[in-house]
């Protein structure tokens, strides 16, 4: 069922910019239109392009935001959250904890 | 006369004429309008529903650019119940990397705050590990589930037994005592998870034990937002209106029993909820068309009344989807498109 919803009306998570738009709803309480506009502005793409895997995979690779099939030497997991937090200007709770625990 | 193949709320196939299908939408929206005392949807919106549900295609979908984001109730549970022998952390990765999930959600098998409390150390360790290897936001989900605080499972006298014995005041006192226990457990568990770095907590199936369940969750949210102002809190409901198991409970001077989604969301917002998940139940003896018209009527008004993101519950038996373990693709995709394009909500 989750897969059908994703095909019918989903943004696509890390295949596109779904996780980034989700972070703006979660951290700033933005509505979908506002969140898409904010993320699109930060990525220098149009709101429609946020759901385009071709455009977004290139932007994600360039900006080190994480890919679903990451090549060697690319960012993965917590590493990508550093770049996401900086790009979007938000605090990520797990990143805050990681910095505290690792003494960064 | 041309027949349109659609489904009943129990998922069985049914064929309707164009006129019959249109009438289902009209009666569905009228039912929601009368029950919720809210506006019915417009003729243009009824026509859009007809276009979606009269299409012979197997799958429907929103126009490009209209996509929304998804939060889930336990992405781990979805995998575990298929008996696929993989770890919960791997389930999260599966959703993130294979299914393109915008967010993922960790949860315990029991999926109740009371059950998670004694194993919170284990849950924290799994969460901390998962947060290192994932990129998308990780939520932790559990149910307030006030029913677990009543005897024989819990410490509080069972209100149903007291009611049956005619002890109405004692039953109400039992509900109030259970609220205190539940608030403490929810605040404790959510605080521990916040300290482990969780991106959000999901109070899922809120109100399943009626107005005491809803009140306990509102109070827990209020406490958590004072303690951690940045904490993202999602509140997903269990039914379309709050059952009056106590009947006299209030929050901010508003009686909780009988509240519909557009009224629930206003209290959720006051308590500090970040994302609200309304539920509209499916009537199995009516068509999916009738049900979805009802759903979009309730949701559209709820979204209009809201200042916070709305993620509608669109699982089996709610949101215009049939009650069946294996929900057909045609039913899911049509409801998905209809809800997103007509209500303009923020996610599912």
């Amino acid at each position: 069922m989750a897969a059908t919803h994703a095909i019918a009306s989903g943004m696509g998570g890390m295949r596109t910019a779904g996780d980034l738009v989700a972070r703006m709803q979660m951290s700033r309480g933005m509505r979908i239109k506002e969140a898409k506009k904010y993320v699109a502005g930060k990525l220098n793409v149009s709101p429609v392009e946020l759901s385009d895997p071709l455009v977004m995979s290139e932007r994600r690779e360039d900006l080190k935001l994480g890919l679903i099939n990451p090549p060697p030497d690319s960012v993965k997991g917590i590493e990508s959250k550093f770049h996401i937090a900086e790009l979007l200007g938000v605090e990520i709770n797990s990143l805050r904890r990681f910095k505290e625990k690792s003494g960064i | 006369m041309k027949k349109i193949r659609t489904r009943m709320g129990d998922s069985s196939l049914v064929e309707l004429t164009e006129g019959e299908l249109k009438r289902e939408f009209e009666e569905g929206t009228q039912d929601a309008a009368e029950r919720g005392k809210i506006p019915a949807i417009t003729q243009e919106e009824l026509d859009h529903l007809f276009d979606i549900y009269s299409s012979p295609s197997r799958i429907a979908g929103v126009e490009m650019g209209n996509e929304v984001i998804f939060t889930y109730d336990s992405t781990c549970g979805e995998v575990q119940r298929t008996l696929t022998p993989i770890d919960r952390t791997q389930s999260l990765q599966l959703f993130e990397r294979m299914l393109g999930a915008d967010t993922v959600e960790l949860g315990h098998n029991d999926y109740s705050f009371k059950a998670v409390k004694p194993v919170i150390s284990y849950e924290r360790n799994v969460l901390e590990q998962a947060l290192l290897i994932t990129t998308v936001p990780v939520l932790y989900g559990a149910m307030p589930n006030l029913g677990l605080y009543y005897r024989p499972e819990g410490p509080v006298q069972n209100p149903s037994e007291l009611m049956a014995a005619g002890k109405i005041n004692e039953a109400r006192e039992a509900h109030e005592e259970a609220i205190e226990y539940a608030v403490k457990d929810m605040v404790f568990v959510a605080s521990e998870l916040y300290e482990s770095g969780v991106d959000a907590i999901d109070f899922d199936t809120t109100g399943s034990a009626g107005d005491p369940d809803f009140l306990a969750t509102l109070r827990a949210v209020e406490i958590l937002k004072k303690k951690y102002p940045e904490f993202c809190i999602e509140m997903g409901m269990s039914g379309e209106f709050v059952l009056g198991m106590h009947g006299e409970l209030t929050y901010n001077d508003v009686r909780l029993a009988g509240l519909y989604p557009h009224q629930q969301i206003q209290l959720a917002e006051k308590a500090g909820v970040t994302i609200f998940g309304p539920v509209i139940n499916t009537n199995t003896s009516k068509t999916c068309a009738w049900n979805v018209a009802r759903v979009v009527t309730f949701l559209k008004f709820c979204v209009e009344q809201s200042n916070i993101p709305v993620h509608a519950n669109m699982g089996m038996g709610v949101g215009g989807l049939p009650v069946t373990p294996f929900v057909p693709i045609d039913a899911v995709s049509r409801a998905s498109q209809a809800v997103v394009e007509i209500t303009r909500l923020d996610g599912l």
Side-chain angles (χ1 to χ4, degrees):
Chain A
M1 190 157 40
T4 309
H5 275 305
I7 291 166
S9 60
M11 282 201 70
M14 285 174 68
R15 296 178 72 241
T16 58
D19 60 320
L20 309 179
V21 173
R23 288 215 180 267
M24 298 320 299
Q25 284 197 3
M26 294 169 70
S27 61
R28 303 247 182 106
M30 287 181 178
R31 308 300 294 266
I32 187 76
K33 210 172 173 183
E34 186 188 3
K36 280 186 178 178
K37 193 177 169 192
Y38 182 88
V39 175
K42 293 289 182 185
L43 293 168
N44 201 20
V45 298
S46 70
V48 173
E49 287 175 318
L50 289 176
S51 303
D52 186 317
L54 177 64
V55 174
M56 280 311 304
S57 58
E58 288 173 359
R59 294 303 288 146
R60 290 191 83 105
E61 189 166 12
D62 292 345
L63 297 167
K64 299 179 180 170
L65 306 177
L67 295 166
I68 56 168
N69 47 357
D73 203 33
S74 63
V75 295
K76 295 168 188 74
I78 192 86
E79 296 161 353
S80 52
K81 293 185 195 178
F82 278 83
H83 301 286
I84 290 170
E86 193 182 341
L87 175 81
L88 299 180
V90 296
E91 183 170 277
I92 297 177
N93 193 21
S94 57
L95 192 58
R96 172 195 59 77
R97 185 182 175 280
F98 180 81
K99 287 178 183 171
E100 274 174 24
K101 296 293 177 190
S102 54
I104 296 173
Chain B
M1 192 178 293
K2 188 186 170 192
K3 290 271 189 177
I4 297 161
R5 181 176 280 190
T6 183
R7 291 183 189 272
M8 297 297 291
D10 65 359
S11 196
S12 56
L13 283 165
V14 61
E15 289 190 337
L16 303 177
T17 64
E18 288 188 359
E20 286 168 338
L21 184 62
K22 284 179 182 172
R23 202 157 47 244
E24 292 295 301
F25 293 131
E26 285 160 9
E27 289 178 6
T29 191
Q30 280 308 322
D31 185 81
E34 283 165 24
R35 285 174 194 269
K37 297 180 178 62
I38 57 177
I41 58 172
T42 64
Q43 187 57 51
E44 195 182 342
E45 289 160 344
L46 286 167
D47 292 343
H48 191 40
L49 280 179
F50 180 78
D51 289 343
I52 295 169
Y53 278 76
S54 61
S55 163
S57 301
R58 182 165 174 260
I59 188 157
V62 299
E63 260 182 47
M64 286 169 75
N66 284 350
E67 301 89 352
V68 294
I69 64 152
F70 297 159
T71 46
Y72 300 83
D73 51 348
S74 189
T75 42
C76 305
E78 302 254 354
V79 178
Q80 281 176 327
R81 64 173 163 257
T82 65
L83 304 183
T84 310
I86 63 171
D87 176 75
R88 283 190 292 165
T89 311
Q90 292 168 315
S91 300
L92 302 185
Q93 290 180 296
L94 189 71
F95 267 79
E96 178 187 79
R97 301 193 164 266
M98 303 296 288
L99 297 174
D102 305 308
T103 65
V104 292
E105 188 186 287
L106 184 66
H108 182 261
N109 268 355
D110 191 290
Y111 207 56
S112 299
F113 281 96
K114 183 171 179 275
V116 172
K117 190 180 171 186
V119 293
I120 189 65
S121 304
Y122 300 98
E123 294 302 279
R124 286 186 66 169
N125 261 339
V126 175
L127 172 68
E128 287 168 14
Q129 181 77 2
L131 287 164
L132 291 174
I133 58 170
T134 51
T135 297
V136 303
V138 178
L139 291 83
Y140 189 96
M143 301 187 295
N145 203 352
L146 228 67
L148 292 182
Y149 295 90
Y150 305 127
R151 289 178 196 165
E153 285 84 7
V156 179
Q157 273 202 297
N158 195 310
S160 299
E161 289 174 8
L162 291 167
M163 286 288 279
K167 296 179 177 177
I168 295 168
N169 288 336
E170 288 85 344
R172 285 186 169 142
E173 283 166 14
H175 283 304
E176 288 159 24
E177 197 183 342
I179 291 170
E180 300 303 320
Y181 281 110
V183 171
K184 277 184 196 163
D185 286 355
M186 285 189 274
V187 171
F188 171 77
V189 168
S191 301
E192 292 281 306
L193 295 166
Y194 183 84
E195 297 299 340
S196 283
V198 77
D199 288 298
I201 192 88
D202 176 17
F203 291 99
D204 189 38
T205 328
T206 297
S208 61
D211 48 349
D213 198 296
F214 188 31
L215 181 59
T217 314
L218 290 167
R219 284 189 188 163
V221 171
E222 207 175 74
I223 294 167
L224 286 165
K225 284 304 270 193
K226 277 186 190 146
K227 199 171 172 185
Y228 308 111
E230 305 301 320
F231 202 175
C232 172
I233 299 177
E234 179 164 17
M235 178 187 279
M237 298 303 289
S238 60
E240 68 190 38
F241 67 90
V242 180
L243 293 170
M245 303 302 280
H246 182 292
E248 292 184 343
L249 293 173
T250 60
Y251 182 77
N252 272 24
D253 297 326
V254 177
R255 187 167 169 264
L256 302 180
L259 294 184
Y260 277 96
H262 61 281
Q263 298 158 320
Q264 297 160 10
I265 199 168
Q266 289 174 8
L267 298 184
E269 207 174 309
K270 272 183 191 159
V273 165
T274 318
I275 298 172
F276 183 72
V279 165
I280 312 300
N281 302 96
T282 296
N283 184 335
T284 54
S285 60
K286 297 285 189 178
T287 60
C288 283
W290 183 90
N291 277 292
V292 88
R294 233 176 137 262
V295 169
V296 296
T297 307
F298 274 121
L299 288 180
K300 185 187 165 201
F301 195 63
C302 178
V303 170
E304 285 171 2
Q305 299 298 304
S306 177
N307 295 304
I308 58 175
V310 176
H311 287 197
N313 280 267
M314 295 288 290
M316 186 268 283
V318 297
L321 304 191
V323 182
T324 174
F326 310 106
V327 187
I329 287 171
D330 53 87
V332 178
S333 61
R334 277 165 178 69
S336 204
Q337 183 189 357
V339 162
V340 171
E341 292 194 332
I342 293 179
T343 74
R344 298 291 170 187
L345 44 54
D346 307 280
L348 305 178

